Amino acid sequence: MARGDLLVALVKSGAGGDDLAFRRAAEALIAEENAKKHGVLASQLADALTRRRNPGSSVSPLTRPQESVGLLHETEPTRRLTDLVLPTSVRQSTADLIEEHHRRDLLRSHGVEPRHRILLEGPPGSGKTTLAEAIATEVAVPFLTVRYEGLIGSFLGETASRLDALFSAVRIRPCVLFFDEFDAVAKERGDTHETGEIKRVVSSLLLQVDRLPSHVIVVAATNHAELLDRAVWRRMQVRLSLPKASREGKIEWLRAWSARTGVEFGKSERTIADRLRDVSYAELEDFATDVQRRLILDGFDADPGAITERILKAWGNRAKPESSD
């Protein structure tokens, strides 16, 4: 059975002629049936909603899944919040958001929706993508990553229509919609070097984000927060800053990873963190996986300390990007 609050909202908005509210209630109902694996019923409801669309409405019609092919990459999330090394404030804010979605029925009974628009900013490798995936895992929804190579067309008119297709496709399913490098599509509209068409695309993008129902959790990540349009900051309900990996953070991460995988390094986590002082969390995971891979290949008699030392030396000799003048 569908939730009573959705049915009441559907009838009230329909009777009152509020097309946008009706659309949102119907989309939430379809998303709930999709989450329950009631695919046939969800498809019938989606078809009915598409046929009902008011020609004068500014809301885009629903898009069938095949129309969004190439725009999204879907993965089954596996990361957990407990796997991540996060500042206390970031961990608490994320836990609060997850609780809101777990207890959304209670919030909705009081006429309040859970927050669902999140901005993550921080240097490369600080864990933005991992945190977005962990949110999807904890809320138990698919993790959808926007594919810019499919979204951004040769002509800006194509980009706008693909944006419509993308957002229309995700509106009727609970998910985490992840925009990596969000500044690539949401740059400051006051930039005099950008064309009017690009500014219209940014305006369309922000309007689409505004209209998404709360069962779609939008996570936007950027390494260059200063490039984002100022309206992005106003629209994001949760704004979190992920810092560069610290020595203490690396030690904590290595200990947690070793406990989770059962892989012993044969050297103290402090020693490894000191030897890898310039790496990010993402690179630290690559290093740990290098050690694990070598241990597997060398067999049961392998010396973890010797292998870790060997990998540390290899990482010390890795090619580094040239500094720019």
Side-chain angles (χ1 to χ4, degrees), residues 290-304 306-308 310-311:
D290 283 351
V291 173
Q292 181 183 30
R293 190 180 295 113
R294 195 68 257 166
L295 282 168
I296 292 170
L297 293 174
D298 286 4
F300 294 108
D301 295 332
D303 179 353
I307 287 177
T308 299
R310 173 181 167 187
I311 302 298

Side-chain angles (χ1 to χ4, degrees), residues 11 40 105 181 262:
V11 173
V40 174
D105 290 352
E181 299 181 4

Side-chain angles (χ1 to χ4, degrees), residues 18-32:
D18 188 338
D19 191 66
L20 181 57
F22 180 90
R23 173 65 177 262
R24 285 176 171 166
E27 288 170 344
L29 187 61
I30 295 167
E32 185 171 277

Side-chain angles (χ1 to χ4, degrees), residues 97 101 115-120 132 135 144 146 167 170 175-179 182 205 208-221 235-238:
L97 176 86
H101 283 268
R115 293 172 296 171
H116 64 110
R117 298 191 295 272
I118 306 145
L119 177 64
L120 304 179
I135 292 171
L144 307 180
V146 177
F167 280 99
V170 302
C175 63
V176 167
L177 180 63
F178 181 58
F179 286 85
F182 196 51
L205 170 65
Q208 294 278 16
V209 167
D210 267 347
R211 288 174 171 169
L212 281 176
S214 62
H215 56 258
V216 179
I217 302 174
V218 178
V219 182
R235 282 169 167 81
M236 294 304 177
Q237 299 156 310
V238 181

Side-chain angles (χ1 to χ4, degrees), residues 44-269:
Q44 291 173 339
L45 290 169
D47 286 343
L49 183 60
T50 301
R51 288 195 297 270
R52 178 204 173 274
R53 185 186 178 233
N54 184 345
S57 172
S58 61
V59 181
S60 300
L62 293 178
T63 297
R64 297 187 180 279
Q66 61 267 27
E67 294 180 59
S68 62
V69 171
L71 302 179
L72 296 165
H73 176 65
E74 179 173 349
T75 55
E76 191 70 28
T78 58
R79 306 277 188 164
R80 303 302 302 265
L81 193 60
T82 52
D83 298 338
L84 278 59
V85 176
L86 298 169
T88 301
S89 60
V90 173
R91 186 177 298 278
Q92 185 60 59
S93 294
T94 306
D96 288 346
L97 176 86
I98 291 167
E99 182 187 10
E100 290 175 20
H101 283 268
H102 283 166
R103 307 180 68 188
R104 57 188 175 273
D105 290 352
L106 175 60
L107 291 175
R108 286 170 177 164
S109 70
H110 292 271
V112 178
E113 291 291 322
R115 293 172 296 171
H116 64 110
R117 298 191 295 272
I118 306 145
L119 177 64
L120 304 179
E121 66 94 12
S126 57
K128 299 184 293 295
T129 302
T130 308
L131 179 54
E133 182 183 347
I135 292 171
T137 302
E138 302 298 346
V139 181
V141 296
F143 185 56
L144 307 180
T145 302
V146 177
R147 299 177 59 182
Y148 293 135
E149 70 273 19
L151 179 64
I152 300 174
S154 301
F155 301 99
L156 290 170
E158 292 178 358
T159 301
S161 65
R162 291 173 187 178
L163 273 173
D164 284 343
L166 183 151
F167 280 99
S168 184
V170 302
R171 293 179 67 88
I172 56 173
R173 60 183 305 197
C175 63
V176 167
L177 180 63
F178 181 58
F179 286 85
D180 197 8
E181 299 181 4
F182 196 51
D183 48 278
V185 288
K187 292 185 69 174
E188 170 60 56
R189 283 170 290 183
D191 187 343
T192 56
H193 296 95
E194 298 295 356
T195 67
E197 275 297 316
I198 289 178
K199 294 175 184 179
R200 281 190 284 275
V201 168
V202 174
S203 297
S204 175
L205 170 65
L206 297 179
L207 185 60
Q208 294 278 16
V209 167
D210 267 347
R211 288 174 171 169
L212 281 176
S214 62
H215 56 258
V216 179
I217 302 174
V218 178
V219 182
T222 181
N223 304 331
H224 302 286
E226 73 281 359
L227 297 180
L228 290 176
D229 190 275
R230 282 166 289 183
V232 171
W233 295 89
R234 294 197 302 271
R235 282 169 167 81
M236 294 304 177
Q237 299 156 310
V238 181
R239 303 195 289 257
L240 302 175
S241 179
L242 299 181
K244 181 180 178 180
S246 65
R247 178 177 183 268
E248 292 73 19
K250 293 173 190 175
I251 293 169
E252 181 184 347
W253 189 95
L254 287 165
R255 286 174 177 166
W257 186 88
S258 184
R260 186 171 69 252
T261 62
V263 173
E264 296 291 338
F265 291 108
K267 287 183 178 292
S268 74
E269 290 81 5

